[in-house]
Amino acid sequence: MNDDMTRERDRPGGRVTMQQVAAEAGVSISTVSKVINGRYGVSSETFDHVSAVINRLGYEASLVARSLRNTRTNVIGVLVADFEPFSTEVLKGAADAIRDTGYELVAYSAGGRVDEHVGWERRYLSRVMGTLVDGAVLVTPTVTDVQYDGPVVAVDPHTGRSSLPTVAADSLQGARIGVDHLLELGHRRIAMVTGRPDLVSAQLRERGYREAHGAAGVPVDDSLLVLGAFDADQARGAARTLLRRPDPPTAIFAANDVSALAALEVATELGIDVPGRLSIVGFDNIPESALAHPPLTTVQQPMRELGHQAIAMLVGLIAGHHLEETHVTLETTLVRRRTTAAPGAAS
Amino acid sequence: MNDDMTRERDRPGGRVTMQQVAAEAGVSISTVSKVINGRYGVSSETFDHVSAVINRLGYEASLVARSLRNTRTNVIGVLVADFEPFSTEVLKGAADAIRDTGYELVAYSAGGRVDEHVGWERRYLSRVMGTLVDGAVLVTPTVTDVQYDGPVVAVDPHTGRSSLPTVAADSLQGARIGVDHLLELGHRRIAMVTGRPDLVSAQLRERGYREAHGAAGVPVDDSLLVLGAFDADQARGAARTLLRRPDPPTAIFAANDVSALAALEVATELGIDVPGRLSIVGFDNIPESALAHPPLTTVQQPMRELGHQAIAMLVGLIAGHHLEETHVTLETTLVRRRTTAAPGAAS
DNA sequence: CTGTTAGCGCATTCAG
DNA sequence: CTGAATGCGCTAACAG
């Protein structure tokens, strides 16, 4: 602890302000501002002097104060409900895309306490748009009335007609190939752990599930569809319900990998061999899915590419460009690993 | 005159301000502020009326303006050089830890353009500390003089004695078990693709490599140590140098998984069978490592736990608690997959 | 070339 | 109980 009063750091965290730089350099605040922003109208002598003081004090302009004053901040926001595998993959793609744009990236999350208030994206948007960030990418937004007139792009968006530009994977096609794979292996009792009903992606996956059955002439048993809501806990419950039935399914198609991994966990817990007695197919191909035992067969969606595209569109929007495509859809592919086999192929 | 009363939404993004709420409700700005912050001194009548207007307009306080005014923001910052596998895993752990704290999380990155200015963390810190965030977690900071007196915790920190509290995995022990594994398999010419020399973790991994050799009585050939700097491109170059030697090593120990994966790529490219003619061991166990062909044998460090611990320490720090341990070290374990075998075991 | 002034959106005194 | 005034750190007009 030093008692010396020579330092005038009053804010916690030891922030140095322009005020202090100006005082130290013996000039006015606005002169410091000019030096920092490289504005003309400063003698090279003062410039050097002030620069030296700035370096010595380690001054750096407060993002917040600057944001409040300026319209442009040069920062793009990625708004997520939580940092989980899907959103972080999208984030990696966004980071990749932003590298050459000159923008900085801020990812913002309320820490998963989303259910408290449906419509978190609306609140987040109000909080940061127009001040902290120049534009925002919304990852899996839930509400239907995000009628925002600023530059905003949604990834894997909600139900309902949205005026927002969107980027999403082709969930319908993806579910088709996932369920077709199971059907081709000979499965006839295929259960589904469904996703969050408010998300378009979840609805399409269920539709794909039904269409695949229809195309194969296999009737759908509606009691085999259980809500998993893209949530590990809920999906575990759903899987338990399914697998404890007197007539359990021979396969489970899960609306996302987190749910599929949960189902795999439950199967192991109940002593059900996978893929011997139960086949499981997921959706997403999050990196974690390859780490499972056995590694998960899943429908891959290009998560990073989703983030990449969203940033590209957003940057165009901010620049005032007109978007060619306002609703971009990316393809999915099947990744065969070890959780699927023909039914009754007990090991 | 009252020209400013007629002002509509001038900010882009359609942000609603207190100004507009006040005008719409026919009250003053300070009354709106009181309603929002639940301050006493407002009649329940006005309270209800103003609340109604707030809901109708969808008003939400600007994070930026509020940050500027208040000392506390209830937001914690995670500052990263880039959103890559390691930092995003730490981020997941941080998100997990923050769930019950009431804090929100902001992850900030300059978009990988770090090399332009060494010491990015110093700048980031100045930008956000004391205004946007109440405290910060620094992921793999590089400079040696981050002498910040605010609540800051470093994950996998830099070289030199740091006054900052730190959280890191036991790199020395990790490197020991990784190299021991190779030694036990019978390898005697083990190369190492080293990490970023400015990071303590990288130095310890090299030391572990040397100690393992010493303990086994196997001399170290210094020409077998090549700089990879935790960077994919650089590691690829290093691996190429190593594998094109007339007397190539029979195994490579890489300072992190990104480097190991790069080495694997080069081996494939050169037609060298892994693990038949070359064994590879990585460090980190990022999710991607299991996706490789063949899946990577690696030393796992608890990346999420790193983030979790850092947040726990930071929250304590912000609350003014005294830290029990200022330098936390977590254990590592070996994950055997398919990139290691006895030397000369050509397939 | 430099300093003074006026806010950005909000929370907090302190008068009325 | 309510509103006008002040300032957080900064930039952009405008004065000197």
Side-chain angles (χ1 to χ4, degrees):
Chain A
M1 313 296 176
N2 57 347
D3 300 60
D4 78 342
M5 305 292 283
T6 57
R7 290 192 165 182
E8 310 174 27
R9 306 184 160 184
D10 42 359
R11 289 284 278 211
R15 259 202 65 68
V16 181
T17 70
M18 268 181 56
Q19 182 74 254
Q20 297 167 34
V21 174
E24 183 79 14
V27 296
S28 78
I29 293 184
S30 63
T31 301
V32 178
S33 173
K34 283 170 191 160
V35 169
I36 287 168
N37 297 294
R39 294 276 178 276
Y40 293 96
V42 180
S43 72
S44 64
E45 196 179 323
T46 350
F47 186 93
D48 292 343
H49 177 223
V50 173
S51 299
V53 174
I54 289 175
N55 280 330
R56 183 152 51 78
L57 264 46
Y59 169 80
E60 197 73 29
S62 159
L63 188 61
V64 164
R66 180 174 274 177
S67 297
L68 195 55
R69 195 62 181 73
N70 297 341
T71 311
R72 281 292 297 261
T73 61
N74 223 42
V75 175
I76 282 180
V78 177
L79 277 33
V80 304
D82 194 7
F83 292 109
E84 26 72 36
F86 180 81
S87 60
T88 46
E89 285 305 303
V90 172
L91 196 55
K92 288 178 196 170
D96 194 44
I98 214 151
R99 224 176 293 282
D100 308 310
T101 64
Y103 282 98
E104 302 190 334
L105 209 54
V106 160
Y108 185 54
S109 158
R113 294 181 305 282
V114 167
D115 23 76
E116 290 178 15
H117 298 268
V118 189
W120 55 272
E121 52 286 314
R122 210 195 180 315
R123 290 174 33 238
Y124 283 23
L125 228 35
S126 295
R127 291 252 261 273
V128 300
M129 276 290 289
T131 48
L132 221 204
V133 304
D134 295 340
V137 173
L138 255 35
V139 181
T140 60
T142 60
V143 302
T144 54
D145 65 341
V146 184
Q147 306 275 38
Y148 225 81
D149 52 344
V152 176
V153 175
V155 171
D156 198 15
H158 60 79
T159 285
R161 353 185 293 94
S162 168
S163 50
L164 295 180
T166 61
V167 188
D170 191 338
S171 287
L172 182 61
Q173 171 236 8
R176 283 289 311 248
I177 61 179
V179 177
D180 277 348
H181 171 56
L182 254 12
L183 253 8
E184 279 161 18
L185 284 172
H187 291 276
R188 288 300 174 266
R189 284 184 61 72
I190 304 173
M192 174 164 185
V193 177
T194 61
R196 243 172 46 193
D198 58 323
L199 290 183
V200 151
S201 59
Q203 298 176 354
L204 288 175
R205 286 171 206 178
E206 181 173 338
R207 197 169 123 205
Y209 166 89
R210 292 182 185 280
E211 286 188 6
H213 278 78
V218 176
V220 170
D221 175 355
D222 276 305
S223 73
L224 251 29
L225 278 81
V226 190
L227 183 69
F230 288 163
D231 177 78
D233 282 335
Q234 183 131 9
R236 249 186 297 271
R240 215 164 270 135
T241 306
L242 249 13
L243 297 176
R244 279 183 178 154
R245 290 168 58 124
D247 54 345
T250 63
I252 293 180
F253 173 61
N256 74 346
D257 279 357
V258 167
S259 303
L261 261 15
L264 181 54
E265 208 179 305
V266 170
T268 304
E269 172 191 311
L270 296 178
I272 299 172
D273 181 60
V274 176
R277 274 175 56 211
L278 177 72
S279 286
I280 299 178
V281 172
F283 202 112
D284 277 354
N285 195 25
I286 58 176
E288 284 83 348
S289 66
L291 292 170
H293 300 286
L296 187 70
T297 293
T298 189
V299 178
Q300 144 149 353
Q301 65 169 317
M303 293 169 290
R304 296 196 187 192
E305 187 60 22
L306 251 31
H308 199 103
Q309 281 278 346
I311 291 294
M313 289 168 71
L314 188 59
V315 168
L317 234 35
I318 294 173
H321 297 159
H322 183 73
L323 250 39
E324 301 285 317
E325 305 261 7
T326 55
H327 297 283
V328 173
T329 302
L330 304 179
E331 294 297 287
T332 61
T333 52
L334 182 70
V335 177
R336 299 183 192 208
R337 286 199 277 252
R338 322 216 79 92
T339 54
T340 49
S347 53
Chain B
M1 309 311 180
N2 294 354
D3 282 8
D4 40 24
M5 294 297 284
T6 61
R7 219 178 36 178
E8 295 282 314
R9 310 175 160 192
D10 46 358
R11 291 285 281 210
R15 260 202 62 68
V16 182
T17 70
M18 269 181 56
Q19 179 76 250
Q20 298 167 35
V21 175
E24 184 79 13
V27 296
S28 79
I29 292 184
S30 58
T31 300
V32 178
S33 174
K34 283 170 191 161
V35 169
I36 288 169
N37 297 296
R39 294 276 176 277
Y40 294 97
V42 182
S43 72
S44 64
E45 197 177 324
T46 6
F47 185 94
D48 292 343
H49 177 223
V50 173
S51 299
V53 174
I54 288 175
N55 280 329
R56 183 153 50 78
L57 264 46
Y59 169 80
E60 196 74 30
S62 160
L63 187 62
V64 164
R66 181 173 275 183
S67 298
L68 197 54
R69 191 65 178 73
N70 298 340
T71 311
R72 280 292 296 263
T73 60
N74 224 42
V75 175
I76 283 179
V78 177
L79 277 34
V80 304
D82 194 7
F83 292 108
E84 26 72 34
F86 180 80
S87 60
T88 48
E89 286 305 305
V90 173
L91 196 54
K92 288 179 195 170
D96 194 43
I98 213 152
R99 224 177 293 281
D100 309 309
T101 63
Y103 282 98
E104 302 190 333
L105 209 54
V106 159
Y108 185 54
S109 156
R113 292 182 307 282
V114 168
D115 23 74
E116 289 177 16
H117 298 269
V118 189
W120 55 273
E121 52 284 315
R122 208 193 183 316
R123 288 173 36 237
Y124 283 25
L125 226 38
S126 296
R127 292 250 261 272
V128 299
M129 276 291 287
T131 47
L132 221 204
V133 304
D134 295 339
V137 173
L138 255 36
V139 182
T140 59
T142 60
V143 302
T144 53
D145 65 342
V146 184
Q147 307 274 39
Y148 225 78
D149 51 345
V152 175
V153 175
V155 171
D156 197 16
H158 60 79
T159 283
R161 346 188 300 92
S162 169
S163 50
L164 295 180
T166 60
V167 187
D170 191 338
S171 287
L172 182 61
Q173 171 235 10
R176 283 287 309 248
I177 62 181
V179 177
D180 277 346
H181 171 57
L182 254 12
L183 253 9
E184 278 160 20
L185 248 21
H187 291 276
R188 288 298 173 270
R189 283 185 62 73
I190 305 173
M192 174 166 185
V193 177
T194 61
R196 245 173 43 193
D198 57 326
L199 291 183
V200 152
S201 58
Q203 298 176 354
L204 289 175
R205 287 172 205 176
E206 181 173 335
R207 197 170 121 203
Y209 166 90
R210 292 181 186 279
E211 285 188 5
H213 277 76
V218 176
V220 170
D221 175 354
D222 276 305
S223 73
L224 251 28
L225 278 81
V226 190
L227 182 70
F230 288 162
D231 177 77
D233 282 335
Q234 185 132 10
R236 249 187 298 271
R240 214 163 272 132
T241 306
L242 250 14
L243 297 176
R244 279 185 179 152
R245 290 168 57 124
D247 54 346
T250 63
I252 293 180
F253 173 61
N256 74 345
D257 279 358
V258 167
S259 302
L261 261 15
L264 180 55
E265 208 180 305
V266 170
T268 305
E269 174 191 310
L270 296 179
I272 299 173
D273 180 59
V274 175
R277 272 176 55 211
L278 177 72
S279 288
I280 299 179
V281 172
F283 202 112
D284 279 353
N285 196 27
I286 58 175
E288 283 82 348
S289 66
L291 293 169
H293 298 287
L296 187 69
T297 292
T298 188
V299 178
Q300 144 149 353
Q301 65 169 318
M303 293 170 287
R304 295 196 188 193
E305 188 59 22
L306 252 30
H308 198 103
Q309 281 280 346
I311 291 292
M313 290 168 70
L314 188 59
V315 168
L317 235 34
I318 294 174
H321 297 158
H322 184 71
L323 252 38
E324 301 285 315
E325 304 260 8
T326 56
H327 296 283
V328 174
T329 303
L330 304 179
E331 293 298 286
T332 61
T333 52
L334 182 70
V335 177
R336 299 184 191 208
R337 284 198 279 253
R338 321 217 77 93
T339 53
T340 47
S347 54

